[in-house]
Amino acid sequence: MITRRRSTSMVAVWLSRLPSLAEALGRDHPPARDEASFATALGELINARDRSEVWLALSVLTGRFPGESLVLETARSSEIDPRALFQAVRRETTRESAAWKVVVESEKTLVDVADTSTSTLATGIQRVVREVAKRWAAIETVRFTGWTKDWQSLRDLEASEIARVERGIPRAEHEGDAIADVVVVPWRTTYILLEVSAEPPRSERIRALARFSGCRTAALCYDLIPVTSSETASPGMTGVFAHYMAALKYFDRISTISQATAVEYRGWREMLPAAGLPGPDIVPVLLPASVGDSDEAALDAARERLVIGRMPLILVVGSHEPRKNHLAILQAAEILWREGHSFSLSFIGSRSWRGDEYHDRLRQLQDQGRPVESITRASDTLLWAAYRLARFTVFPSLNEGFGLPAAESLAVGTPVITSEFGSTAEIAADGGAILVDPRDDDDLTSAMRTLLTREDVLDRLRSEAKRRPRTSWDQYSRDLWNAML
């Protein structure tokens, strides 16, 4: 009895969704009133030889986006057994997905900001997404989306999530999970992924979407570090990233945040013809070097918090993962302190994977009385002021997609010591920086010594930094939109 009631309820759900499916295909839907007639109507409506129609039918009727293998398996079975599609729909529909409202979007551009709209973090990627999204919010044809629980399907965002993305406010620690109310199925429109998909189930469904939905697909890509510098990535990230790349190979366009990252992605694309795929177009759109203003009150507060007496402040911005090379900075600082140089050293950035050695070394130096500290969850107000108060900043990363801390330091006229290759060398090309080999501790120590002792060099770099061309998030967001479409 319970099974029959549940079956009757499911049939009612499928019947209610059938008109949307037919409308998306531009066809009249055959009449259906019960399970048997629904199965017949579905067989008449969908061309099983067209994989895109099978993808659409599974997405709309179940409320859950299918993976690539499910689409292919269902399409092949349906060519032999006309009831196979109905059986897949019945099998894949859950009580949870049956309760969702499903809409097909064929006009607006869907912009996927799932992580950014729900996360408690404020990483560099999420900062880029928030800066872009709050500007794209003014575009009438944009529809922001997240994902349902367990990455089953795209959904409309809650009002609080939209406000969070647009205003750039991270999610509160104890805020409840959003409830998926409206599942959004993209069909022959545009889908843009603004962030990295770090969840294999999400990547699997995005891959099928890119291959079968008939949508124009575009992604903003930040780096290939889990591939090119896997030894510095978090445990398991290389495998997770491979799922993400498997989805990107079906995309139409990728926009990278630097020329250096474009070179990496073009190298990856050159491998795809071996799999019979052309790969996406790759268009670099460089991130802006832009920071907020600091009034006197903000500077005074930051000075009180960061500056020790007359000591010059050296600033390091970035998460404490091995790739950022913070152990090399601590080594250089200790050598310079032992030489008798007076300065304080402040790290601003979040804790990260494999950071225990850095934190242990930091505590050792603090126990010895060295003027060094590590600040997590710093406000933008403090960060912008810190850039301006620092004598110079240090960013000797081993691999970067762009290197926002180097660009932001130079944007306020503060010289930076950074790596001599890749995107950081690209940023430094307009002046204001000393380039070093980040794998050579002596080279890094020498550069820091120079900027501590040579006022003439420091003044020259400051002048170069102030003459650099100015860029903005407004312009970047416009350029990125044009590159994605």
Side-chain angles (χ1 to χ4, degrees):
M1 197 68 170
I2 294 174
T3 302
R4 195 161 87 188
R5 277 204 302 267
R6 181 182 176 189
S7 176
T8 302
S9 175
M10 288 296 188
V11 172
V13 170
W14 299 327
L15 290 174
S16 70
R17 294 173 177 175
L18 190 59
S20 295
L21 175 59
E23 182 180 356
L25 293 169
R27 301 170 191 158
D28 295 329
H29 68 86
R33 63 182 183 280
D34 54 23
E35 182 173 302
S37 59
F38 170 76
T40 300
L42 188 58
E44 294 175 0
L45 180 65
I46 300 300
N47 175 11
R49 300 181 69 85
D50 187 333
R51 276 38 173 175
S52 65
E53 291 191 16
V54 173
W55 179 88
L56 180 67
L58 289 169
S59 299
V60 172
L61 296 174
T62 70
R64 304 170 65 215
F65 289 11
E68 188 177 29
S69 60
L70 177 58
V71 174
L72 295 175
E73 175 190 340
T74 302
R76 288 165 179 161
S77 298
S78 296
E79 291 182 39
I80 298 170
D81 178 2
R83 288 180 58 86
L85 176 55
F86 166 70
Q87 291 167 351
V89 168
R90 181 169 58 184
R91 185 176 62 250
E92 295 296 323
T93 308
T94 66
R95 284 188 175 183
E96 184 179 35
S97 67
W100 299 333
K101 178 182 178 182
V102 176
V103 298
V104 179
E105 179 60 79
S106 297
E107 296 180 357
K108 290 192 174 182
T109 296
L110 300 188
V111 180
D112 187 344
V113 291
D115 285 334
T116 306
S117 66
T118 59
S119 179
T120 60
L121 301 176
T123 65
I125 289 177
Q126 286 166 342
R127 180 166 170 224
V128 172
V129 173
R130 289 183 175 118
E131 292 289 352
V132 170
K134 66 186 179 183
R135 289 166 173 82
W136 283 8
I139 302 173
E140 292 183 358
T141 56
V142 164
R143 185 171 187 170
F144 290 115
T145 62
W147 282 79
T148 61
K149 182 181 178 182
D150 299 327
W151 310 100
Q152 298 176 74
S153 42
L154 288 172
R155 63 170 175 85
D156 271 340
L157 296 182
E158 299 283 316
S160 60
E161 294 174 312
I162 294 175
R164 183 179 302 118
V165 171
E166 292 180 5
R167 297 202 306 268
I169 302 173
R171 182 188 183 196
E173 288 282 3
H174 303 294
E175 183 177 335
D177 291 331
I179 299 173
D181 187 36
V182 179
V183 166
V184 185
V185 180
W187 179 243
R188 296 174 181 170
T189 184
T190 301
Y191 166 82
I192 295 177
L193 178 61
L194 272 187
E195 54 196 19
V196 176
S197 174
E199 305 82 13
R202 179 188 185 188
S203 296
E204 180 184 1
R205 289 171 170 82
I206 291 174
R207 184 170 76 248
L209 184 160
R211 183 175 178 184
F212 300 119
S213 70
C215 289
R216 176 176 175 77
T217 49
L220 177 56
C221 293
Y222 298 83
D223 56 57
L224 269 173
I225 288 167
V227 176
T228 57
S229 298
S230 58
E231 74 280 5
T232 70
S234 61
M237 185 59 188
T238 299
V240 166
F241 202 79
H243 286 277
Y244 167 63
M245 298 295 293
L248 292 181
K249 68 185 180 183
Y250 287 113
F251 272 53
D252 295 300
R253 177 159 290 194
I254 282 175
S255 178
T256 63
I257 60 175
S258 67
Q259 293 283 356
T261 303
V263 169
E264 291 184 312
Y265 272 91
R266 285 170 182 152
W268 160 75
R269 186 184 59 189
E270 287 183 4
M271 298 185 288
L272 295 181
L277 297 171
D281 293 334
I282 297 171
V283 181
V285 181
L286 275 61
L287 287 180
S290 177
V291 299
D293 294 329
S294 297
D295 58 22
E296 286 303 318
L299 289 170
D300 287 344
R303 193 176 288 109
E304 180 69 22
R305 173 66 184 82
L306 298 171
V307 178
I308 302 174
R310 292 181 172 272
M311 287 185 184
L313 168 66
I314 299 177
L315 180 67
V316 182
V317 178
S319 56
H320 309 308
E321 56 187 286
R323 176 171 56 88
K324 302 298 184 179
N325 213 18
H326 289 173
L327 280 171
I329 299 173
L330 291 176
Q331 174 73 8
E334 173 62 5
I335 290 173
L336 294 170
W337 279 320
R338 292 189 178 196
E339 289 179 0
H341 298 285
S342 176
F343 62 92
S344 67
L345 179 62
S346 289
F347 291 83
I348 294 181
S350 60
R351 299 180 70 93
S352 191
W353 52 86
R354 294 172 57 190
D356 291 346
E357 190 175 358
Y358 158 77
H359 289 288
D360 288 345
R361 182 58 179 146
L362 180 75
R363 282 191 293 270
Q364 290 173 4
L365 291 171
Q366 290 173 331
D367 290 343
Q368 296 169 21
R370 298 304 191 191
V372 56
E373 66 172 343
S374 184
I375 302 171
T376 58
R377 296 188 180 276
S379 67
D380 283 349
T381 301
L382 177 62
L383 179 60
W384 305 153
Y387 279 129
R388 291 178 167 91
L389 294 175
R391 181 177 176 90
F392 59 90
T393 65
V394 188
F395 192 72
S397 179
L398 300 174
N399 194 340
E400 284 295 325
F402 182 72
L404 270 176
E408 289 171 343
S409 179
L410 293 169
V412 300
T414 298
V416 62
I417 296 171
T418 193
S419 303
E420 63 185 3
F421 49 74
S423 62
T424 50
E426 190 178 326
I427 291 168
D430 289 320
I434 291 181
L435 296 179
V436 298
D437 178 354
R439 297 178 176 86
D440 185 337
D441 288 356
D442 290 339
D443 200 15
L444 176 60
T445 304
S446 176
M448 291 174 64
R449 183 186 296 111
T450 295
L451 292 191
L452 282 170
T453 60
R454 295 281 304 275
E455 295 295 333
D456 59 328
V457 175
L458 189 70
D459 289 342
R460 174 176 58 80
L461 294 179
R462 284 173 174 164
S463 297
E464 290 176 1
K466 290 176 181 177
R467 292 195 300 268
R468 291 171 60 90
R470 296 294 179 248
T471 56
S472 71
W473 285 108
D474 288 343
Q475 185 61 53
Y476 173 76
S477 299
R478 288 192 293 269
D479 292 345
L480 182 63
W481 177 260
N482 292 332
M484 291 289 199
L485 299 180

